[in-house]
Amino acid sequence: MAARGHVQDPNDRRLRPIYDYLDNGNNKMAIQQADKLLKKHKDLHCAKVLKAIGLQRTGKQDEAYALAQEVAALEPTDDNSLQALTILYREMHRPELVTKLYEAAVKKVPNSEEYHSHLFMAYARVGEYKKMQQAGMALYKIVPKNPYYFWSVMSLIMQSISAQDENLSKTMFLPLAERMVEKMVKEDKIEAEAEVELYYMILERLEKYQEALDVVRGKLGEKLTSELQSRENKCMAMYKKLCRWPECNALSRRLLLKNSDDWQFYITYFDSVFQLIDESWTPPLEEEHSLEGEVHYSIEQAVKFIEERITEESKSTRPLRGPYLAKLELIRRLRCRGCNDEYKLGDPEELMFQYFKKFGDKPCCFTDLKVFVDLLPSSQYTKFISQLLEVIPLSSTAESEIALPADIKALQQHLCVVQLSRLLGIYHAMDKKQKLTVVRELMLRYHHGLEFGKTCLKTELQFSDYYCLLAVHLLLDLWLEEGEEMAVWQCLTLLEEGLSHSPSNAQFKLLLIRIYCRLGAFEPVAELYSSLDAKHIQHDTIGYLLTRYAESLGHYAAASQSCNFALRFFHSNQKDTSEYIIQAYKYGAFEKIPEFIAFRNRLNSSLHFAQVRTERMLLDLLLEANISSSLEESIKSMSLSPEEDDIPWKDLRDNRDLTVLFNWDPKDRDISEEHRKLSLEEETLWLRIRSLTLRLVSGLPTLSHSIQPKNSEKTAENGVSSKIDTIRSLLQQLEAAVDSGKKFLEQKIQYPVLGPPPTRMAGFFSNGSCQCQTSLFYLVSDIYELDTNGLEDSAEVQERIGNSFKSLIERLTDLFNKCKGDLIEVRDGTLKTQPNLLENLVFFVETISITQWVSSYCDGVLRPFKSNLQKKKKKKKETNVAMPPVFTHFLDYVTELQTLTSNVIDHIKGLEVFLTALKLEELSLKDTLLLQEEKKFTKTVQGKVRSSYHHSVQEIGELLKKRLDSIKKLKI
């Protein structure tokens, strides 16, 4: 809570019980205790603030705010009140109020170091960089300590980073920051490494690379000691910026002589060598080659240098991979230049074979060689794999039909070869029978490998887990490329078995999530995702695996929960990042501050954040808004406005980790940069459609019935467009977004098996939901026109509305027809699923909800008209006055809507009965690969899918019943 033990204040003893209650979460008792104390000590400000904290935590935000402002108006200067108010304002997400608090405190106590530093940090929380600069200098004048001075300098850099005008940044803020640091340098007042880092950062941003290099190489550079090779790395960066390739080469060469296993310096060494060759550089005759020593400027020298590193490595007690991989890298670069054969570096196949013999038992061997497999000719792939297999010590046993590894080292070697086989496309070239044979063999090896992991803890992975994963990948090929329905159930069975032996294996869980979602079964997914224990940024990078499917598969409660979970992370990001920035200032980690700001901006512009926010609001409306009044309340509580679009379309960042699932596919089957771009385009188009739908729905309550003059479609005030113009403009935007979406889908893009999951856009168009929803918003426009012009002069509009009602019922009926069918069927012992029916049902519920909201609006417009007509009839005492046709059209439409919704509910009840009665059978195909011990997982998997479907149709049915109740109330 608040620091209170060190302050010798007589009130501390009185306040302590309130602090304790708040710390223990007993907020009601804290409020009562504060009230008791305030009766005796009316002027005890801190007690009032602590009471306000208790009120805030019990949901009484308005009372808490009023009480806090009462104390803040008195401009307190006691430590307890200030700290308590700071805590309260943070919980209210009002950090800007903390700045006002300490501004007042600083005025009253101008020489307080503590209050000035609190004021600086308060400005840091809200990003007031100019005020931070002023506060830092004011603090330095009171207490001339270096950190305070450099806080002010860093605030200038932050002003330069946030400046809209880059010219202003480079001509004003950064030069001023440079002069401030130079002043300290001249006065010999630089004390800490952080201050040198800051000076370097300023010079780098000003593109004064030579001056930055001089600082690092000079006396000040000696202070750069906290990171290994900090000076060398900074020198290297500046040499590259200045294109001083001789120095780059000499420095990287010198660092490789110290540590021949540092890969980054090999890359710099090769880059610099080839740059010097291209520039035809020659060393000076009398002087040294460069500031950093000897320079290698020919391919012969590079070859000799790498050979020497390999020779040195052979004498090393610890095997080093760097020199061997460097030789392969050099061969690749020489091949690209078309001059490999001249330097006799060796055959890449033989070099990779030797590398495997040396490092094949290390898990990293596969990832090392993966980079260089393109050096092998495709005709040599099979020979290369056979050559590797020959050196692995495998032994046959009487029980096993295949040769198995005798120890963990041999197992790791064999695993490396199997992974390379997949990468080189050997498995992809096989026919179905051969693939099934390989799957069988891989699973035998997996079970044998479990023997080596009997002593593993639950948190450790089994040595042979990759065999199981590779078998699943082969089965996925059979399912998705050859349509083998049996294969998907075998995938799930093997993964569930793998997870039972290796409960912490994230890859098993991620694959299960993808496959269950693809089958339309979301229920097991929530538990699997929860067990992944995703931390912080992972809610953005892998959260899409959860949020993409929850609502679309009819698990509304789980969808709501998963959206809340993701949004909690995004909303806390703002507050958390402010704390990181403050810590960076306190500890002088100035170079991290721009990184934290960029990180915050990246999350605020996240595609996933925008998607979750939009889907969460649509979901809330779906679950809560049953009639027009509750729709209006829900929209008001969300602060939704049809005019406002808070999605940063131009800055959207795709932070999804699309490579989170391990993949051994060849390059031509792997996720490419093109796939990423197309997926982002598809996601953005779908988000635009969803966002416009949400804004159109939020515009419905604004069109409430009111008698207006004829043809008055503009408000008189300042010529501002009326609400209907906003709706019509959004409708045009929706039409344009839909057209763009259809054009995108015409490309018929196929993502890799484990690539980005496609959006719901294709289903939205193909099942007719799109046409239904668009026609509903056009109906709103027609009803508004009827409302504005009156019944007398609107025969054409009434006819148009009547036709809209008829076509809408036809479209909804057509959509329902696409929902018919069994979600799960048993054919010859194989389960066949139809998850698209589930997605269609979810779209139907969404469309019927929008239909109901629009119908409520129609009801609100037509009801007063009918009431007025009836009053006129009574006055004129005429009994045979013909009612306008729009009333008959509406009543017929509502009747048909009720009937249709009832039919869908009956269909869903039928699905529930079918799923309950369905008897799951064990898989019994001739070519099934399952061993007896694996078959027990089959029923578990099938049961989970059936249970998930049952849960989905139950939730969909409940929601539709609410909609039916609301539709029954539509009687004009």
Side-chain angles (χ1 to χ4, degrees):
M1 186 65 206
R4 51 191 186 274
H6 68 286
V7 182
Q8 295 304 312
D9 187 328
N11 289 321
D12 261 16
R13 181 178 49 79
R14 298 180 185 124
L15 294 169
R16 189 177 296 277
I18 310 176
Y19 281 122
D20 290 338
Y21 283 130
L22 288 171
D23 284 342
N24 295 325
N26 197 341
N27 299 311
K28 286 184 180 177
M29 282 303 294
I31 295 166
Q32 286 176 22
Q33 191 68 29
D35 283 332
K36 280 183 192 175
L37 195 54
L38 286 166
K39 280 179 185 175
K40 295 179 186 175
H41 306 274
K42 289 181 182 177
D43 297 328
L44 191 51
H45 305 319
C46 187
K48 279 188 183 178
V49 183
L50 294 176
K51 180 186 174 182
I53 291 173
L55 289 167
Q56 169 72 17
R57 291 178 182 176
T58 49
K60 296 173 182 174
Q61 285 90 348
D62 293 341
E63 287 178 54
Y65 180 71
L67 204 56
Q69 292 308 90
E70 194 182 307
V71 176
L74 300 169
E75 298 182 350
T77 54
D78 66 292
D79 216 24
N80 282 342
S81 297
L82 288 170
Q83 285 193 26
L85 276 167
T86 302
I87 289 165
L88 176 61
Y89 288 148
R90 268 192 224 163
E91 289 186 14
M92 287 179 165
H93 305 293
R94 299 287 301 275
E96 71 282 358
L97 296 175
V98 180
T99 60
K100 292 175 184 174
L101 202 62
Y102 280 102
E103 279 168 358
V106 161
K107 279 179 188 171
K108 286 191 174 181
V109 191
N111 291 325
S112 167
E113 180 185 359
E114 186 184 356
Y115 291 171
H116 271 283
S117 63
H118 278 309
L119 178 61
F120 180 89
M121 295 309 175
Y123 286 141
R125 279 194 180 89
V126 293
E128 290 269 10
Y129 302 127
K130 186 169 178 59
K131 288 183 178 178
M132 285 165 69
Q133 180 202 341
Q134 294 163 350
M137 284 313 292
L139 192 51
Y140 182 69
K141 283 172 187 172
I142 298 163
V143 189
K145 293 179 182 175
N146 269 24
Y148 299 151
Y149 185 86
F150 284 95
W151 283 5
S152 186
V153 174
M154 186 63 215
S155 303
L156 272 167
I157 295 174
M158 292 314 298
Q159 285 180 70
S160 84
I161 290 170
S162 60
Q164 298 288 330
D165 185 358
E166 198 177 329
N167 191 39
L168 186 69
S169 167
K170 290 194 174 176
T171 55
M172 189 170 96
F173 297 124
L174 289 172
L176 179 54
E178 184 189 12
R179 286 198 297 276
M180 285 178 74
V181 180
E182 279 175 351
K183 180 176 177 285
M184 297 295 270
V185 173
K186 284 171 187 170
E187 292 172 11
D188 199 22
K189 288 184 179 177
I190 299 287
E191 296 170 356
E193 181 181 0
E195 293 156 17
V196 181
E197 290 271 13
L198 194 58
Y199 191 20
Y200 175 82
M201 193 198 303
I202 294 165
L203 293 170
E204 189 179 16
R205 286 180 178 275
L206 279 167
E207 296 177 14
K208 293 187 174 182
Y209 303 130
Q210 185 56 53
E211 289 86 338
L213 185 62
D214 294 341
V215 167
V216 177
R217 286 178 59 83
K219 189 183 172 186
L220 288 174
E222 291 171 12
K223 295 184 186 294
L224 300 169
T225 55
S226 67
E227 285 183 35
L228 188 67
Q229 296 169 337
S230 178
R231 282 181 88 179
E232 288 88 344
N233 285 329
K234 283 180 168 55
C235 283
M236 193 80 80
M238 291 304 102
Y239 286 143
K240 284 180 183 176
K241 295 276 188 187
L242 292 163
C243 294
R244 287 173 61 171
W245 300 112
E247 280 78 9
C248 250
N249 181 273
L251 181 56
S252 56
R253 179 187 151 279
R254 186 153 54 81
L255 290 166
L256 284 169
L257 288 171
K258 279 187 192 174
N259 177 10
S260 61
D261 209 32
D262 199 323
W263 187 248
Q264 62 172 328
F265 296 130
Y266 278 114
I267 298 300
T268 307
Y269 175 77
F270 292 139
D271 286 344
S272 57
V273 166
F274 290 114
Q275 283 285 350
L276 292 169
I277 291 167
D278 292 341
E279 291 171 11
S280 304
W281 184 87
T282 50
L285 294 172
E286 295 175 6
E287 300 168 25
E288 266 201 79
H289 281 198
S290 72
L291 285 171
E292 299 289 350
E294 186 189 338
V295 176
H296 287 173
Y297 54 94
S298 70
I299 294 172
E300 288 82 1
Q301 286 172 308
V303 170
K304 187 185 174 191
F305 179 69
I306 297 301
E307 294 289 5
E308 284 171 358
R309 300 287 61 72
I310 291 172
T311 307
E312 284 292 315
E313 190 279 334
S314 62
K315 298 173 189 173
S316 168
T317 51
R318 184 173 70 90
L320 302 176
R321 291 145 52 218
Y324 298 98
L325 294 171
K327 193 171 188 179
L328 286 165
E329 176 65 21
L330 183 55
I331 290 171
R332 185 165 61 183
R333 289 186 180 227
L334 288 170
R335 274 199 185 178
C336 289
R337 297 169 75 90
C339 55
N340 180 39
D341 296 337
E342 301 164 32
Y343 299 98
K344 311 298 181 207
L345 276 162
D347 177 23
E349 187 182 338
E350 180 57 28
L351 292 173
M352 288 164 82
F353 174 63
Q354 294 302 327
Y355 185 85
F356 176 80
K357 282 169 73 176
K358 200 169 181 68
F359 301 104
D361 60 335
K362 303 278 188 293
C364 61
C365 183
F366 168 73
T367 48
D368 288 345
L369 292 179
K370 182 182 178 179
V371 184
F372 301 107
V373 290
D374 55 351
L375 294 174
L376 297 172
S378 55
S379 58
Q380 298 294 311
Y381 288 170
T382 311
K383 181 192 160 206
F384 176 64
I385 293 296
S386 302
Q387 195 181 3
L388 297 183
L389 284 170
E390 282 169 13
V391 296
I392 304 173
L394 300 174
S395 52
S396 298
T397 59
E399 299 89 40
S400 174
E401 57 204 65
I402 53 170
L404 297 165
D407 55 26
I408 294 167
K409 279 193 172 186
L411 184 143
Q412 290 287 9
Q413 284 179 312
H414 190 268
L415 256 179
C416 180
V417 176
V418 172
Q419 290 174 80
L420 283 168
S421 300
R422 174 87 180 170
L423 180 69
L424 295 172
I426 291 168
Y427 290 160
H428 292 94
M430 292 177 175
D431 61 26
K432 178 186 164 185
K433 193 175 180 182
Q434 288 171 316
K435 281 181 182 175
L436 291 172
T437 305
V438 172
V439 170
R440 184 90 186 88
E441 184 194 319
L442 288 171
M443 287 314 293
L444 286 171
R445 292 187 182 282
Y446 168 68
H447 289 118
H448 171 258
L450 292 175
E451 297 294 318
F452 300 123
K454 281 184 173 177
T455 57
C456 286
L457 300 172
K458 280 190 175 180
T459 50
E460 293 177 318
L461 306 187
Q462 289 290 333
F463 297 107
S464 59
D465 278 354
Y466 277 15
Y467 282 128
C468 185
L469 279 172
L470 282 155
V472 169
H473 277 239
L474 276 164
L475 288 167
L476 279 174
D477 293 344
L478 286 171
W479 177 44
L480 297 169
E481 291 172 16
E482 298 182 33
E484 278 290 326
E485 197 69 27
M486 177 61 127
V488 68
W489 299 104
Q490 290 169 346
C491 280
L492 291 170
T493 300
L494 299 185
L495 286 169
E496 288 282 6
E497 187 201 356
L499 200 57
S500 71
H501 294 300
S502 206
S504 297
N505 193 316
Q507 287 301 313
F508 286 156
K509 293 174 186 178
L510 289 165
L511 256 179
L512 279 166
I513 286 171
R514 283 299 297 269
I515 298 169
Y516 275 129
C517 285
R518 195 138 184 170
L519 285 175
F522 187 79
E523 196 171 55
V525 168
E527 190 183 338
L528 284 164
Y529 186 84
S530 175
S531 69
L532 280 170
D533 199 17
K535 295 282 193 294
H536 202 258
I537 187 66
Q538 287 176 316
H539 293 304
D540 189 21
T541 57
I542 64 170
Y544 71 94
L545 294 170
L546 191 68
T547 53
R548 155 66 182 87
Y549 291 101
E551 185 192 349
S552 65
L553 296 175
H555 283 258
Y556 298 113
S560 190
Q561 202 175 355
S562 58
C563 285
N564 281 345
F565 207 67
L567 287 173
R568 252 201 309 276
F569 159 67
F570 285 113
H571 289 145
S572 67
N573 157 52
Q574 199 75 18
K575 188 176 75 175
D576 292 348
T577 312
S578 298
E579 296 308 313
Y580 305 152
I581 292 165
I582 284 165
Q583 294 306 314
Y585 271 108
K586 280 183 181 175
Y587 297 107
F590 297 121
E591 75 281 3
K592 295 294 171 196
I593 294 169
E595 290 178 28
F596 289 142
I597 301 287
F599 176 73
R600 179 169 65 192
N601 294 340
R602 182 171 180 170
L603 285 182
N604 287 341
S605 304
S606 164
L607 168 74
H608 186 228
F609 181 27
Q611 287 172 324
V612 171
R613 211 164 61 232
T614 305
E615 292 296 343
R616 174 63 221 260
M617 287 191 277
L618 278 167
L619 183 62
D620 280 354
L621 293 178
L622 210 62
L623 297 176
E624 294 166 18
N626 288 323
I627 51 174
S628 57
S629 58
S630 65
L631 175 68
E632 191 169 353
E633 286 162 20
S634 298
I635 287 167
K636 199 174 179 182
S637 70
M638 291 179 205
S639 307
L640 268 173
S641 167
E643 293 88 357
E644 288 174 21
D645 184 5
D646 60 353
I647 295 172
W649 295 105
K650 288 181 182 174
D651 303 319
L652 274 182
R653 290 289 300 267
D654 186 1
N655 298 333
R656 293 174 300 164
D657 182 357
L658 299 177
T659 56
V660 68
L661 284 154
F662 286 172
N663 199 343
W664 298 275
D665 287 339
K667 267 187 185 175
D668 60 326
R669 287 169 167 264
D670 207 355
I671 301 165
S672 65
E673 200 52 46
E674 184 64 17
H675 287 131
R676 290 173 188 275
K677 283 180 187 172
L678 288 167
S679 176
L680 174 58
E681 187 185 343
E682 183 181 350
E683 294 286 352
T684 308
L685 282 168
W686 179 236
L687 174 60
R688 197 175 284 279
I689 290 169
R690 300 296 281 171
S691 171
L692 287 165
T693 304
L694 176 65
R695 289 169 68 194
L696 280 161
V697 169
S698 73
L700 286 175
T702 65
L703 303 173
S704 56
H705 177 71
S706 56
I707 304 300
Q708 297 180 20
K710 286 184 186 181
N711 303 320
S712 169
E713 288 204 0
K714 302 276 177 189
T715 53
E717 198 178 332
N718 300 327
V720 179
S721 296
S722 69
K723 298 290 182 185
I724 193 64
D725 289 330
T726 305
I727 298 290
R728 285 169 182 162
S729 167
L730 290 172
L731 196 44
Q732 283 179 344
Q733 291 175 51
L734 180 62
E735 287 278 26
V738 165
D739 287 343
S740 300
K742 285 177 179 173
K743 279 177 189 168
F744 179 87
L745 291 175
E746 280 169 12
Q747 300 174 67
K748 295 184 178 171
I749 293 145
Q750 289 291 321
Y751 297 115
V753 173
L754 297 174
T759 64
R760 299 165 64 199
M761 191 159 63
F764 182 62
F765 293 149
S766 64
N767 63 27
S769 300
C770 175
Q771 295 88 326
C772 281
Q773 292 184 20
T774 311
S775 63
L776 278 162
F777 294 121
Y778 275 114
L779 177 61
V780 169
S781 180
D782 286 339
I783 294 286
Y784 183 87
E785 193 178 329
L786 179 73
D787 189 17
T788 309
N789 295 340
L791 291 171
E792 293 84 2
D793 307 324
S794 56
E796 189 184 326
V797 177
Q798 288 189 54
E799 190 181 342
R800 208 160 61 227
I801 290 168
N803 291 334
S804 295
F805 286 148
K806 282 178 189 171
S807 70
L808 189 57
I809 292 295
E810 285 168 12
R811 281 178 174 154
L812 285 168
T813 306
D814 189 43
L815 175 54
F816 170 43
N817 289 335
K818 286 175 182 167
C819 302
K820 289 178 180 176
D822 289 327
L823 291 169
I824 194 164
E825 294 175 329
V826 183
R827 289 182 196 162
D828 303 323
T830 308
L831 290 185
K832 171 82 177 165
T833 59
Q834 296 192 79
N836 61 306
L837 295 179
L838 206 52
E839 289 220 25
N840 287 348
L841 269 172
V842 170
F843 272 127
F844 182 88
V845 173
E846 197 176 288
T847 307
I848 210 80
S849 299
I850 297 172
T851 305
Q852 182 237 309
W853 298 327
V854 171
S855 302
S856 291
Y857 168 63
C858 296
D859 184 68
V861 169
L862 296 176
R863 198 184 289 264
F865 278 134
K866 190 168 184 183
S867 178
N868 288 339
L869 280 171
Q870 284 171 337
K871 282 176 188 173
K872 282 179 187 177
K873 275 170 74 176
K874 281 179 184 177
K875 279 182 185 177
K876 293 180 180 179
K877 295 182 180 178
E878 293 179 29
T879 52
N880 59 348
V881 174
M883 292 295 274
V886 71
F887 296 122
T888 316
H889 294 324
F890 183 70
L891 288 170
D892 291 346
Y893 155 74
V894 169
T895 305
E896 288 182 49
L897 196 59
Q898 279 185 40
T899 307
L900 177 62
T901 310
S902 298
N903 289 342
V904 180
I905 290 169
D906 290 341
H907 170 65
I908 285 169
K909 282 178 186 169
L911 286 176
E912 280 188 59
V913 171
F914 171 76
L915 288 167
T916 308
L918 182 68
K919 289 184 180 177
L920 298 174
E921 302 170 19
E922 283 189 10
L923 301 179
S924 57
L925 274 186
K926 293 171 192 171
D927 55 3
T928 185
L929 308 170
L930 302 179
L931 300 172
Q932 199 55 45
E933 61 264 33
E934 291 165 348
K935 287 190 177 178
K936 63 181 178 183
F937 293 99
T938 306
K939 277 196 173 179
T940 306
V941 164
Q942 294 173 340
K944 283 181 178 181
V945 173
R946 182 181 65 175
S947 170
S948 179
Y949 285 170
H950 195 268
H951 193 134
S952 293
V953 293
Q954 270 186 329
E955 286 206 39
I956 291 168
E958 288 302 315
L959 200 49
L960 269 178
K961 282 174 192 170
K962 286 183 184 177
R963 291 289 164 266
L964 182 60
D965 291 342
S966 301
I967 291 166
K968 284 176 181 176
K969 292 172 187 172
L970 298 172
K971 290 176 183 176
I972 51 172

